[in-house]
Amino acid sequence: MNLRWATFAVAFLFLAFLLMFEILPGILLVVSAFTNKFGFSFEHIQEATKPLFLKALVNSVNLSFFTALEGAALGTLTAGAIWSSKNVKVKRFTTAISGVAANFAGVPLAFAFVVILGSSGIVNLLLERVGIEPIDVYRRQNLHWVYLYFQWPLMTVLMLPAFNAIQREWLEAARGLGSSSLGFWFKVGIPVLLPTLLGSMILLFANSFGAYATVYALSQGSINLLPTQIGFQVSGQVGYDPGAAAALSVMMAVTLLLSLALYRFSRRWAAQLEGAK
Amino acid sequence: MTFLRRGIIGLLLAYLLLPILMTLVYSLSSSWTELVPKAFSLEAWSHLFGDPKFWADGGRSLILAFSAVALSIFFLVPTLFAITLYAPKLSSALEFFSLWPFVFPGVIMAVGLIKIFSTPPLAISGTPWLLIPAVTVVVMPYAYRAVANAFESADVRQLAEAARSLGASDLQILAWVIFPTVLPGVLSGGVLALSAAFGEFSLAQLLVGSSWETLPYYQYLTNSQDGHKSAAISVLAFAIAWGLGSFALGLRSSDNLKDAVTLA
């Protein structure tokens, strides 16, 4: 057997598979967003900019930006705490559970939040008891509490390697040279972390922007976001308009593509810092 | 500082564990409308495990998850091998197509797939024959990351050259040198992809729905019927994710295997 040709044969099979189930559907999506029965047209794009859909886009951007910010702040602090902790067991456990929770989205997560923040949710009962207004998990404004469940640990695991690149001896050396802890973080720590921090925030934004399962399971789509609108337009429960679905999908893909480009830029920046070290 | 450090770690652990623990308690209670549950029972769990549909849907989820993982590993390992050894220039193309779901997540993949596969001659929409490849594409980033890292950190090129200079045949190189070296990475990527495929909902709902029902869809239908039973499924899903996640993490820490190999 010639290994070179055998492995290349599989690689070509892979390419055929990708063409069929990934590349062609992607191309067709873009084509159908920009055509109607008669040929090239902006008809669907125009439809996709009607107020309901624009609102969905704005809502999605808002939610994703806000949860990215929230997750980034909490996750960076948590990663720093894990980095400086000397308790190996706590470190291991926190890292492990963060890795699991970062990927724990969808139907099971949605229902766990119904249990605590639903109309008779246990945390809500508690809040009512102490006189705080309960958090209605079915409202868009409160969705960020659910998304934080995966955004916070995701940021934590994304930031850990960057923190680990900071040698504890640097901090000690800086202190020995008379710098304060705060001074160290401003002059050395934050510049080293910054590219990873921004890059990870972009990943968090994208992670929330494309998320469909959690919000759909929670509200059957009554929360107006870009992914839920796309789901509606293809599955036909409320409206059925595959053309609009394609146009909205292109809107989403372009946003994600931009995020990916920014992310790559931030990685290159981080690599440059790494080289300068 | 210590106080703040403990505080934020404690806060994260509480935020991640309390919803699951409360959901567990909810699944074990027969009524919980006051601050403390009134009565406990195993009814929800026995209903769940006594439902033949749960086993049927769970079985389909397993078929789906294992097929998707088997497909991605079958494609990725030889392709990475071929690219690393014979065509390193193509590696960025492979990365691009493996990370494609980042730009085209499940919901919008479904829009394109329905267009192609709902009309003859390729009318496989609504069947596992479309769901399995679609889920394979969506979980590819998980598998790709781990497998590509394994190839990179093992320095497969150098290993292959060393083995060849000692007179090993290509097949021997693959079976006795490359495969054992990248195995931990392949397994950990496979397990992560398995976990993701097992819980996949967007494609399951939009492409097949109730015509080939999987576990996440089963829970989605249960949500409105029996809250306690749905709570039990949430806990089960978390336990499975936790089990698979720890397994993958355990494999990753055996990455130091590669040092042993390069030293030998």
Short mmCIF file of all heavy atoms in Angstrom, two decimals, chain B residues 20-30 40-51 54-55 218 226-240:
data_model
loop_
_atom_site.label_atom_id
_atom_site.label_comp_id
_atom_site.label_asym_id
_atom_site.label_seq_id
_atom_site.Cartn_x
_atom_site.Cartn_y
_atom_site.Cartn_z
N ILE B 20 -27.60 23.82 38.67
CA ILE B 20 -27.68 22.37 38.45
C ILE B 20 -28.15 21.66 39.72
O ILE B 20 -29.02 20.78 39.69
CB ILE B 20 -26.31 21.82 38.01
CG1 ILE B 20 -25.88 22.45 36.68
CG2 ILE B 20 -26.35 20.31 37.86
CD1 ILE B 20 -26.86 22.24 35.54
N LEU B 21 -27.60 22.09 40.87
CA LEU B 21 -28.01 21.46 42.13
C LEU B 21 -29.49 21.70 42.41
O LEU B 21 -30.22 20.80 42.81
CB LEU B 21 -27.15 22.00 43.29
CG LEU B 21 -25.69 21.53 43.24
CD1 LEU B 21 -24.88 22.16 44.36
CD2 LEU B 21 -25.64 19.99 43.32
N MET B 22 -29.95 22.94 42.17
CA MET B 22 -31.36 23.23 42.41
C MET B 22 -32.24 22.45 41.44
O MET B 22 -33.33 22.01 41.80
CB MET B 22 -31.63 24.72 42.27
CG MET B 22 -31.07 25.51 43.45
SD MET B 22 -31.46 27.24 43.23
CE MET B 22 -30.47 27.96 44.51
N THR B 23 -31.76 22.28 40.22
CA THR B 23 -32.52 21.49 39.25
C THR B 23 -32.59 20.03 39.70
O THR B 23 -33.63 19.38 39.55
CB THR B 23 -31.88 21.60 37.85
OG1 THR B 23 -31.73 22.99 37.54
CG2 THR B 23 -32.73 20.96 36.79
N LEU B 24 -31.49 19.55 40.29
CA LEU B 24 -31.49 18.19 40.82
C LEU B 24 -32.54 18.05 41.93
O LEU B 24 -33.34 17.11 41.94
CB LEU B 24 -30.10 17.84 41.35
CG LEU B 24 -29.97 16.50 42.08
CD1 LEU B 24 -30.21 15.34 41.13
CD2 LEU B 24 -28.60 16.34 42.73
N VAL B 25 -32.52 19.02 42.86
CA VAL B 25 -33.50 18.97 43.96
C VAL B 25 -34.92 19.04 43.39
O VAL B 25 -35.81 18.29 43.82
CB VAL B 25 -33.26 20.13 44.95
CG1 VAL B 25 -34.34 20.16 46.02
CG2 VAL B 25 -31.89 19.99 45.60
N TYR B 26 -35.11 19.90 42.40
CA TYR B 26 -36.44 20.03 41.78
C TYR B 26 -36.88 18.70 41.17
O TYR B 26 -38.04 18.30 41.29
CB TYR B 26 -36.40 21.12 40.71
CG TYR B 26 -37.74 21.46 40.12
CD1 TYR B 26 -38.64 22.28 40.81
CD2 TYR B 26 -38.12 20.97 38.88
CE1 TYR B 26 -39.88 22.59 40.27
CE2 TYR B 26 -39.35 21.27 38.33
CZ TYR B 26 -40.23 22.09 39.03
OH TYR B 26 -41.45 22.39 38.49
N SER B 27 -35.95 17.99 40.54
CA SER B 27 -36.32 16.72 39.90
C SER B 27 -36.67 15.67 40.95
O SER B 27 -37.37 14.70 40.66
CB SER B 27 -35.16 16.21 39.03
OG SER B 27 -34.14 15.68 39.84
N LEU B 28 -36.18 15.87 42.18
CA LEU B 28 -36.43 14.90 43.25
C LEU B 28 -37.61 15.29 44.13
O LEU B 28 -37.96 14.57 45.06
CB LEU B 28 -35.19 14.73 44.12
CG LEU B 28 -33.97 14.08 43.45
CD1 LEU B 28 -32.75 14.23 44.33
CD2 LEU B 28 -34.26 12.61 43.16
N SER B 29 -38.21 16.46 43.84
CA SER B 29 -39.31 16.89 44.70
C SER B 29 -40.62 16.69 43.96
O SER B 29 -40.69 16.79 42.75
CB SER B 29 -39.13 18.35 45.08
OG SER B 29 -39.23 19.14 43.92
N SER B 30 -41.67 16.38 44.72
CA SER B 30 -42.96 16.22 44.06
C SER B 30 -43.69 17.55 43.97
O SER B 30 -44.47 17.78 43.07
CB SER B 30 -43.80 15.17 44.77
OG SER B 30 -43.88 15.46 46.14
N PHE B 40 -40.54 14.85 48.79
CA PHE B 40 -39.59 14.33 47.79
C PHE B 40 -40.11 13.04 47.19
O PHE B 40 -40.83 12.28 47.85
CB PHE B 40 -38.23 14.07 48.46
CG PHE B 40 -37.52 15.34 48.81
CD1 PHE B 40 -37.59 15.86 50.09
CD2 PHE B 40 -36.78 16.02 47.85
CE1 PHE B 40 -36.94 17.05 50.41
CE2 PHE B 40 -36.12 17.20 48.15
CZ PHE B 40 -36.22 17.71 49.44
N SER B 41 -39.76 12.79 45.95
CA SER B 41 -40.11 11.50 45.35
C SER B 41 -39.22 11.23 44.16
O SER B 41 -38.61 12.14 43.59
CB SER B 41 -41.57 11.48 44.92
OG SER B 41 -41.69 11.95 43.60
N LEU B 42 -39.15 9.98 43.78
CA LEU B 42 -38.33 9.60 42.64
C LEU B 42 -39.17 9.47 41.38
O LEU B 42 -38.72 8.93 40.37
CB LEU B 42 -37.63 8.27 42.93
CG LEU B 42 -36.45 8.35 43.89
CD1 LEU B 42 -35.96 6.96 44.26
CD2 LEU B 42 -35.29 9.13 43.25
N GLU B 43 -40.40 9.99 41.46
CA GLU B 43 -41.36 9.80 40.38
C GLU B 43 -40.84 10.29 39.03
O GLU B 43 -40.94 9.58 38.03
CB GLU B 43 -42.65 10.55 40.74
CG GLU B 43 -43.90 9.90 40.19
CD GLU B 43 -45.12 10.67 40.66
OE1 GLU B 43 -45.21 10.94 41.88
OE2 GLU B 43 -45.94 11.03 39.82
N ALA B 44 -40.27 11.52 39.03
CA ALA B 44 -39.81 12.08 37.77
C ALA B 44 -38.77 11.17 37.12
O ALA B 44 -38.82 10.90 35.92
CB ALA B 44 -39.23 13.46 38.00
N TRP B 45 -37.84 10.69 37.93
CA TRP B 45 -36.77 9.83 37.40
C TRP B 45 -37.34 8.50 36.93
O TRP B 45 -36.90 7.97 35.90
CB TRP B 45 -35.67 9.62 38.45
CG TRP B 45 -34.87 10.86 38.66
CD1 TRP B 45 -35.12 11.86 39.55
CD2 TRP B 45 -33.69 11.26 37.94
NE1 TRP B 45 -34.18 12.85 39.44
CE2 TRP B 45 -33.29 12.51 38.47
CE3 TRP B 45 -32.95 10.68 36.91
CZ2 TRP B 45 -32.17 13.20 37.99
CZ3 TRP B 45 -31.83 11.36 36.43
CH2 TRP B 45 -31.45 12.61 36.97
N SER B 46 -38.30 7.94 37.69
CA SER B 46 -38.83 6.65 37.26
C SER B 46 -39.69 6.81 36.01
O SER B 46 -39.70 5.95 35.14
CB SER B 46 -39.60 5.97 38.40
OG SER B 46 -40.81 6.63 38.63
N HIS B 47 -40.39 7.96 35.90
CA HIS B 47 -41.12 8.24 34.66
C HIS B 47 -40.17 8.31 33.48
O HIS B 47 -40.44 7.77 32.42
CB HIS B 47 -41.86 9.58 34.76
CG HIS B 47 -43.21 9.45 35.38
ND1 HIS B 47 -44.00 10.53 35.67
CD2 HIS B 47 -43.91 8.37 35.75
CE1 HIS B 47 -45.12 10.10 36.21
NE2 HIS B 47 -45.10 8.80 36.28
N LEU B 48 -39.05 9.02 33.71
CA LEU B 48 -38.09 9.22 32.63
C LEU B 48 -37.52 7.88 32.17
O LEU B 48 -37.56 7.54 30.99
CB LEU B 48 -36.97 10.14 33.11
CG LEU B 48 -35.88 10.45 32.09
CD1 LEU B 48 -36.44 11.23 30.93
CD2 LEU B 48 -34.74 11.23 32.74
N PHE B 49 -37.01 7.11 33.14
CA PHE B 49 -36.37 5.85 32.77
C PHE B 49 -37.39 4.79 32.34
O PHE B 49 -37.04 3.79 31.73
CB PHE B 49 -35.50 5.33 33.92
CG PHE B 49 -34.28 6.19 34.15
CD1 PHE B 49 -33.86 6.51 35.44
CD2 PHE B 49 -33.56 6.70 33.08
CE1 PHE B 49 -32.73 7.31 35.66
CE2 PHE B 49 -32.44 7.49 33.28
CZ PHE B 49 -32.04 7.80 34.57
N GLY B 50 -38.66 5.02 32.69
CA GLY B 50 -39.68 4.06 32.29
C GLY B 50 -40.29 4.37 30.93
O GLY B 50 -41.13 3.62 30.43
N ASP B 51 -39.87 5.48 30.35
CA ASP B 51 -40.46 5.90 29.07
C ASP B 51 -39.68 5.29 27.91
O ASP B 51 -38.52 5.65 27.70
CB ASP B 51 -40.44 7.43 29.00
CG ASP B 51 -41.11 7.94 27.73
OD1 ASP B 51 -41.62 7.10 26.95
OD2 ASP B 51 -41.13 9.17 27.53
N PHE B 54 -37.87 7.70 25.67
CA PHE B 54 -36.61 8.25 26.16
C PHE B 54 -35.45 7.39 25.68
O PHE B 54 -34.43 7.90 25.20
CB PHE B 54 -36.62 8.32 27.69
CG PHE B 54 -35.27 8.52 28.32
CD1 PHE B 54 -34.65 9.75 28.28
CD2 PHE B 54 -34.61 7.46 28.95
CE1 PHE B 54 -33.41 9.94 28.85
CE2 PHE B 54 -33.36 7.64 29.51
CZ PHE B 54 -32.76 8.88 29.47
N TRP B 55 -35.62 6.06 25.76
CA TRP B 55 -34.54 5.15 25.35
C TRP B 55 -34.36 5.18 23.84
O TRP B 55 -33.23 5.14 23.34
CB TRP B 55 -34.81 3.73 25.85
CG TRP B 55 -34.79 3.68 27.34
CD1 TRP B 55 -35.87 3.60 28.18
CD2 TRP B 55 -33.63 3.76 28.20
NE1 TRP B 55 -35.47 3.61 29.50
CE2 TRP B 55 -34.11 3.72 29.54
CE3 TRP B 55 -32.27 3.87 27.96
CZ2 TRP B 55 -33.24 3.77 30.63
CZ3 TRP B 55 -31.41 3.94 29.06
CH2 TRP B 55 -31.89 3.88 30.37
N TYR B 218 -36.34 15.61 22.56
CA TYR B 218 -37.21 14.96 23.55
C TYR B 218 -37.39 15.88 24.76
O TYR B 218 -38.50 16.08 25.25
CB TYR B 218 -36.57 13.63 23.96
CG TYR B 218 -37.29 12.88 25.06
CD1 TYR B 218 -38.35 12.04 24.78
CD2 TYR B 218 -36.88 13.00 26.39
CE1 TYR B 218 -39.00 11.34 25.78
CE2 TYR B 218 -37.52 12.30 27.40
CZ TYR B 218 -38.58 11.47 27.09
OH TYR B 218 -39.22 10.78 28.09
N ASP B 226 -43.95 18.16 31.57
CA ASP B 226 -43.61 17.67 32.89
C ASP B 226 -42.29 18.29 33.34
O ASP B 226 -41.22 17.82 32.96
CB ASP B 226 -43.52 16.14 32.86
CG ASP B 226 -43.24 15.55 34.23
OD1 ASP B 226 -42.89 16.31 35.16
OD2 ASP B 226 -43.37 14.33 34.38
N GLY B 227 -42.39 19.36 34.13
CA GLY B 227 -41.21 20.09 34.55
C GLY B 227 -40.22 19.26 35.34
O GLY B 227 -39.01 19.37 35.15
N HIS B 228 -40.74 18.39 36.21
CA HIS B 228 -39.84 17.60 37.05
C HIS B 228 -39.03 16.62 36.21
O HIS B 228 -37.85 16.41 36.44
CB HIS B 228 -40.65 16.85 38.12
CG HIS B 228 -41.35 17.78 39.07
ND1 HIS B 228 -40.75 18.31 40.18
CD2 HIS B 228 -42.60 18.31 39.02
CE1 HIS B 228 -41.60 19.12 40.80
NE2 HIS B 228 -42.73 19.13 40.12
N LYS B 229 -39.69 16.05 35.20
CA LYS B 229 -39.00 15.12 34.31
C LYS B 229 -37.94 15.88 33.49
O LYS B 229 -36.82 15.40 33.31
CB LYS B 229 -40.03 14.49 33.38
CG LYS B 229 -39.56 13.27 32.64
CD LYS B 229 -40.77 12.53 32.09
CE LYS B 229 -40.56 12.06 30.69
NZ LYS B 229 -41.81 11.59 30.08
N SER B 230 -38.31 17.07 33.02
CA SER B 230 -37.37 17.86 32.25
C SER B 230 -36.15 18.23 33.10
O SER B 230 -35.02 18.24 32.61
CB SER B 230 -38.07 19.12 31.74
OG SER B 230 -37.29 19.73 30.76
N ALA B 231 -36.42 18.51 34.40
CA ALA B 231 -35.32 18.82 35.31
C ALA B 231 -34.37 17.63 35.40
O ALA B 231 -33.15 17.79 35.38
CB ALA B 231 -35.87 19.17 36.69
N ALA B 232 -34.95 16.42 35.46
CA ALA B 232 -34.12 15.22 35.53
C ALA B 232 -33.22 15.12 34.29
O ALA B 232 -32.04 14.77 34.39
CB ALA B 232 -34.99 13.98 35.66
N ILE B 233 -33.78 15.46 33.11
CA ILE B 233 -32.96 15.38 31.88
C ILE B 233 -31.83 16.39 31.92
O ILE B 233 -30.71 16.10 31.51
CB ILE B 233 -33.83 15.60 30.62
CG1 ILE B 233 -35.03 14.66 30.63
CG2 ILE B 233 -33.00 15.37 29.36
CD1 ILE B 233 -36.00 14.93 29.51
N SER B 234 -32.12 17.61 32.42
CA SER B 234 -31.06 18.62 32.53
C SER B 234 -29.91 18.10 33.37
O SER B 234 -28.73 18.26 33.01
CB SER B 234 -31.60 19.91 33.18
OG SER B 234 -32.29 20.68 32.25
N VAL B 235 -30.24 17.50 34.51
CA VAL B 235 -29.21 16.99 35.41
C VAL B 235 -28.41 15.89 34.72
O VAL B 235 -27.17 15.85 34.76
CB VAL B 235 -29.83 16.47 36.72
CG1 VAL B 235 -28.78 15.79 37.59
CG2 VAL B 235 -30.49 17.62 37.48
N LEU B 236 -29.14 15.01 34.04
CA LEU B 236 -28.50 13.91 33.31
C LEU B 236 -27.53 14.46 32.25
O LEU B 236 -26.40 14.00 32.12
CB LEU B 236 -29.58 13.06 32.65
CG LEU B 236 -29.20 11.66 32.22
CD1 LEU B 236 -28.85 10.82 33.43
CD2 LEU B 236 -30.35 11.02 31.45
N ALA B 237 -28.00 15.47 31.51
CA ALA B 237 -27.17 16.06 30.46
C ALA B 237 -25.90 16.67 31.06
O ALA B 237 -24.81 16.53 30.49
CB ALA B 237 -27.96 17.13 29.70
N PHE B 238 -26.06 17.34 32.21
CA PHE B 238 -24.88 17.94 32.84
C PHE B 238 -23.91 16.86 33.29
O PHE B 238 -22.70 16.98 33.11
CB PHE B 238 -25.28 18.82 34.02
CG PHE B 238 -24.13 19.64 34.55
CD1 PHE B 238 -23.81 20.85 33.96
CD2 PHE B 238 -23.36 19.19 35.61
CE1 PHE B 238 -22.73 21.60 34.42
CE2 PHE B 238 -22.28 19.93 36.07
CZ PHE B 238 -21.97 21.14 35.48
N ALA B 239 -24.46 15.78 33.86
CA ALA B 239 -23.61 14.69 34.33
C ALA B 239 -22.82 14.08 33.16
O ALA B 239 -21.62 13.81 33.28
CB ALA B 239 -24.45 13.63 35.02
N ILE B 240 -23.50 13.89 32.02
CA ILE B 240 -22.82 13.33 30.85
C ILE B 240 -21.72 14.27 30.36
O ILE B 240 -20.58 13.86 30.11
CB ILE B 240 -23.83 13.04 29.72
CG1 ILE B 240 -24.78 11.92 30.15
CG2 ILE B 240 -23.11 12.66 28.43
CD1 ILE B 240 -25.92 11.67 29.18
#
